[in-house]
Amino acid sequence: MTYIATFFSHFGAIKFKKLCEARGLSAVTMPVPRSLSSSCGICCRFDADGIDHLKPFPEELEKVVLLEAGGYRQLYHIDEQ
């Protein structure tokens, strides 16, 4: 499955990319898709079998969405902890 994580800072996105890679996940930073808002404009797109093994999430993380046919499904948002 492919996910997109958005962040409050560029540093948070880069740090999360390194966390994904350290756990053997394919990850890339990229501009946030227009349909997703973000404070810093950069996101991390990564492939994984789920997101629970990435918890606890870094405090810089704003939200995580799952890419689905026709759009995105929000799985985590910092305001919904």
Side-chain angles (χ1 to χ4, degrees):
M1 293 185 265
T2 301
Y3 302 89
I4 292 180
T6 63
F7 301 87
F8 294 108
S9 70
H10 285 88
F11 176 76
I14 292 166
K15 186 175 170 184
F16 188 80
K17 178 183 182 287
K18 290 180 181 180
L19 170 70
C20 289
E21 291 173 342
R23 297 194 180 181
L25 304 175
S26 172
V28 62
T29 55
M30 59 185 244
V32 177
R34 193 173 292 246
S35 59
L36 301 174
S37 67
S38 173
S39 297
C40 73
I42 190 170
C43 67
C44 183
R45 182 178 175 149
F46 63 100
D47 295 315
D49 290 331
I51 60 171
D52 287 338
H53 63 285
L54 295 170
K55 292 180 180 177
F57 293 129
E59 62 185 47
E60 297 95 352
L61 182 70
E62 179 185 17
K63 67 181 152 187
V64 177
V65 298
L66 173 65
L67 274 70
E68 296 185 317
Y72 306 100
R73 180 167 44 110
Q74 185 170 292
L75 302 177
Y76 168 84
H77 192 281
I78 192 160
D79 293 334
E80 299 171 0
Q81 291 185 36

